Amino acid sequence: MTELSKLTIEDEAALERLSAASAGMVARTCAWSDINTGSWNIDGLNSFSGVLADAFAELDGNVRLDDAPGFETIGSSGKIEMIHTAPILRVSSRPSAPVQVVLTGHYDTVFPKGTFEGVKDLGDGRLNGPGLADMKGGLCVMLEALKTFEAGPFRDRLGYQIVVTPDEEIGNHASSAALTEAARSGAHVGMTYEPAMDTGAMSGGRKGSAVFDIVLHGKAAHAGRAKEEGRSAIEAAAELVVGLEGLNGQRDGVTVNVGAIEGGSAVNIVPDLAVVRFGARAPDAEAAAWTMSAVARLFERAKSRPGISGHLHGGFYRPPKPRNAAQQAIFDAVHATGRAIGLDLEFVDTGGVCEGNNIFAAGVPNVDTLGVRGGRIHSSEEFVVVDSFAERATLSALLLNRLADGRLDGPRIKALMEN
């Protein structure tokens, strides 16, 4: 890995170019932050998708906006509803090059329109604003790193597929097929632009994530005159919730969290509907299978109550992304490359999930926190560290240089996934 830690003339040129581009990256990210792209703000997402397509047209690639397919969700009525979101940005460049990379990110945020707006200077080199870190700053880093790489001498040796999604914060249900297709189009490694921690630490292994909705039906009745004729769906749901939460601590690394119970109406009516919404995390495939089995068992127990019926919707939409030989090899390569610009990068296992899980599940090793340094994401205190724009864009540009010139052997790392 010593060659990865050395700066070449091409690396020096990239470093100089991206240092000069830092202010522009910050300004662009702030402007993008001012456009609300909450996951359910379809008008905002549609508007921003065109802005994003224009920006990525600066690359030497074929840029397109693909309509995302609809996906199913469970409404408060307990019935399946079809949801549609905004376009998926796709960019393809040099598909015949000997080394191929898949780069991913998202342009939605967790903030509904009107809930968190405006960019503020916090001082101490930090800015506060919606999506600055997660992950409009990361998209700017991706774009500038690719532009810098394409200005260098190795461009013909490396091709790429880019997928930027409108629905990562709600599970990539509409865009998962596009992520899989891009990863399986010959990619040797993956690069995803979720934010790094403010300390610079990056994500190592990731758990898998599941989302479930369990719909329970009972029988309505007058709670005063004929309580005994009713069958309470909420009572069945309450027992189910206790069982679900009781799964915590039963299997190492598995967590279950019930987020909401919906149903019922007036207190003088026995409730005939309840919807239980919950999530689960599991560190590996075996733990995920155990979780699925445990959930199914509790669901069957709920349905076994007299007069109760129902259905279960959901599962592990993002499989686990554990460390393996291929993942460790790419982490080691990124660490060595970081040393070339004075970084001592640490990889920390986390319970969080992202599109890196999807890319891994498609058979491609990847590093998924190549974005800006920041913190307090998913809150109104979200911030980004200003000097991390040039730092992280340079790290990516150097990784691309090394993949193209062979110092970082992408095909060899990919082969480790297959062994």
Side-chain angles (χ1 to χ4, degrees), residues 212-217 232-248 250 256-262 274-278 291-305 308-313:
F212 299 93
D213 298 300
I214 289 181
V215 180
L216 296 174
H217 296 283
S232 173
I234 287 182
E235 182 183 1
E239 181 184 51
L240 173 64
V241 168
V242 172
L244 290 169
E245 289 288 350
L247 296 177
N248 290 296
Q250 291 192 26
V256 177
N257 183 67
V258 178
I261 305 174
E262 301 174 17
V275 181
V276 179
R277 305 186 190 277
F278 61 102
T291 305
M292 290 292 296
S293 177
V295 167
R297 183 180 69 255
L298 291 170
F299 172 54
E300 290 301 323
R301 188 176 75 180
K303 287 199 304 176
S304 71
R305 294 173 65 95
I308 299 296
S309 62
H311 64 273
L312 185 154
H313 184 89

Side-chain angles (χ1 to χ4, degrees), residues 41-57:
N41 180 8
I42 306 304
D43 289 342
L45 290 165
N46 280 324
S47 175
F48 185 66
S49 67
V51 174
L52 205 58
D54 288 343
F56 276 77

Side-chain angles (χ1 to χ4, degrees), residues 2 31 49 88 97 102 117-118 126 141 143 154 179 195 217 296 376 393:
T2 54
S49 67
I88 303 166
V102 57
E117 297 177 338
R126 298 181 302 154
V141 164
L143 176 59
F154 304 127
L179 292 165
H217 296 283
R376 300 295 296 167

Side-chain angles (χ1 to χ4, degrees), residues 350-376:
T350 175
V353 296
C354 75
E355 290 166 344
N357 292 68
N358 301 69
I359 301 305
F360 180 88
V364 178
N366 65 89
V367 58
D368 58 31
T369 40
L370 287 167
V372 290
R373 287 186 280 122
R376 300 295 296 167

